């Protein structure tokens, strides 16, 4: 019996397996038995807005626990120590975190800092012998992503990317339906990912720290979504960029990009990535025999979805709670989520982003 099957049998009795189960029946499975397996002990690096969201979500994890922090701001460390009961010996700053190698209380570091810092920080954490969980986008281009994959392999640690949608129940149900052939042959994907960005001085609009604009931050959801909804990787890209505010969106910071992707089966995708419009969080995929529409599709939830058969009924569970329990299951039991969350998966998206930037710049079709 495969380890996934064993795990599913185990979790159907305990709720631990929420991220892996897509039917409402299984999602509500409960047990009084406490979880007794290994716990993934995590230090968060970067105590900003998303780091805070992950920390809160981890309070209800079964298999993962927040035990440490890495931050350049002592006042934040003090606050987190008190709020999450983090011992002083598990607190680090950006100068001394290589000392984590001598700390047996920490199994993994979750990097939640600006994109332009991910590569260096990943390589440094890998050298401590701790697993790395890194936020999306994994770096600022595919070469960085590949260096991160290679560095983690050489250090014999896992590299996982914060693709929380790969653990989201309605998303997983839609992917499962596609895998089961319920939409027939997938033909077309439409992804709209965007919001109106505020403060012009934030790191997201600084090329060195962000690596780009909306595409790195939010457009990546349509890229990744096209791949998991259609079940293929693209072979060509075309892209067109629009910039209405060149003062706010400087050279190298994309405001709006429309892009098209072609897939080996003949399926096509048409997507929009933007920092200049709100209410853009929608996926639509149609196949020869049916369709799925998700709106919202990648926000923090609840995600809403319907297919030609009716609404997707799976309940909302905090994405980051499912993700961290799922990542613990992956690390300790080798349980793979329905779509991978490893470094190689991250590199695939980075290659597509590189190609989109090239296609937008040259106006030419880019083959992958
Ligand atoms: P943020 O600005 O709120 O937090 C960034 C943190 O990094 C801050 O605590 C900041 O102090 C720290 N930092 C360390 N060095 C820094 C430097 N040189 N310049 C600026 N800040 C520095 O940003 P965020 O929204 O938390 O985003 C962090 C990462 O998380 C990004 O990679 C982003 O793409 C990702 N993210 C992912 C999701 C998701 O849903 N998976 C959502 C939001 C953000």
């Amino acid at each position: 019996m495969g380890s996934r099957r064993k795990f599913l049998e185990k979790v159907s009795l305990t709720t631990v397996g929420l991220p892996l189960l897509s039917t409402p029946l299984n999602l509500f499975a409960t047990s009084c038995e406490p979880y007794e397996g290994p716990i993934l002990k995590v230090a968060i690096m970067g105590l900003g807005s998303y780091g805070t969201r992950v920390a809160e979500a981890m309070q209800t994890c079964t298999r993962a626990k927040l035990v440490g922090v890495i931050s350049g701001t002592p006042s934040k460390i003090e606050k987190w120590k008190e709020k999450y009961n983090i011992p002083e010996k598990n607190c680090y700053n950006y100068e001394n975190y290589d000392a984590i190698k001598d700390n047996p209380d920490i199994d993994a570091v979750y990097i939640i800092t600006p994109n332009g810092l991910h590569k260096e920080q990943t390589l440094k954490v890998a050298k401590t012998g701790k697993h790395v969980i890194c936020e999306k986008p994994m770096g600022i281009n595919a070469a960085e992503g590949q260096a991160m994959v290679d560095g983690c392999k050489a250090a014999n640690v896992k590299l996982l990317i914060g693709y929380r949608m790969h653990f989201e129940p309605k998303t997983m149900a839609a992917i499962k339906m596609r895998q089961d052939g319920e939409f027939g042959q997938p033909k077309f994907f439409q992804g709209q990912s965007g919001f109106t960005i505020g403060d012009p001085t934030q790191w997201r609009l600084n090329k060195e720290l962000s690596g780009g604009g909306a595409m790195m931050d939010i457009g990546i959801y349509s890229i990744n979504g096209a791949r998991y909804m259609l079940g293929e990787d693209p072979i060509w890209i075309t892209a067109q960029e629009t910039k209405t505010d060149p003062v706010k969106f400087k050279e190298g910071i994309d405001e709006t990009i429309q892009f098209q992707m072609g897939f080996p089966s003949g399926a096509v995708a048409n997507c929009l990535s933007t920092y200049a419009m709100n209410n853009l969080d929608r996926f639509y995929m149609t196949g020869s025999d049916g369709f799925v529409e998700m709106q919202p599709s990648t926000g923090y939830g609840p995600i809403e979805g319907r297919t030609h058969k009716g609404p997707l009924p799976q309940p909302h569970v905090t994405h980051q709670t499912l993700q961290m329990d799922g990542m613990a299951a992956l690390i300790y039991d080798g349980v793979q989520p329905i779509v991978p969350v490893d470094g190689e998966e991250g590199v695939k998206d980075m290659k597509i982003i590189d190609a989109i930037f090239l296609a937008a710049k040259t106006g030419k079709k880019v083959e992958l």
Side-chain angles (χ1 to χ4, degrees), residues 46-51 73 76 94 110-115 117-118 121 135-137 162 164 203-204 209 216-217 221 300 320 323:
L47 314 184
S49 138
Y50 195 64
T73 314
K76 282 192 203 165
Y94 291 106
Y110 194 161
I111 298 172
I112 316 186
T113 56
N115 316 334
L117 307 176
H118 292 176
Q121 291 169 340
E135 255 319 309
K136 47 55 57 181
R164 62 185 159 78
W203 69 260
R204 283 182 163 78
L209 287 170
M216 287 283 175
D217 194 27
Y221 284 98
Y300 297 134
Q320 298 81 4
Q323 173 198 326

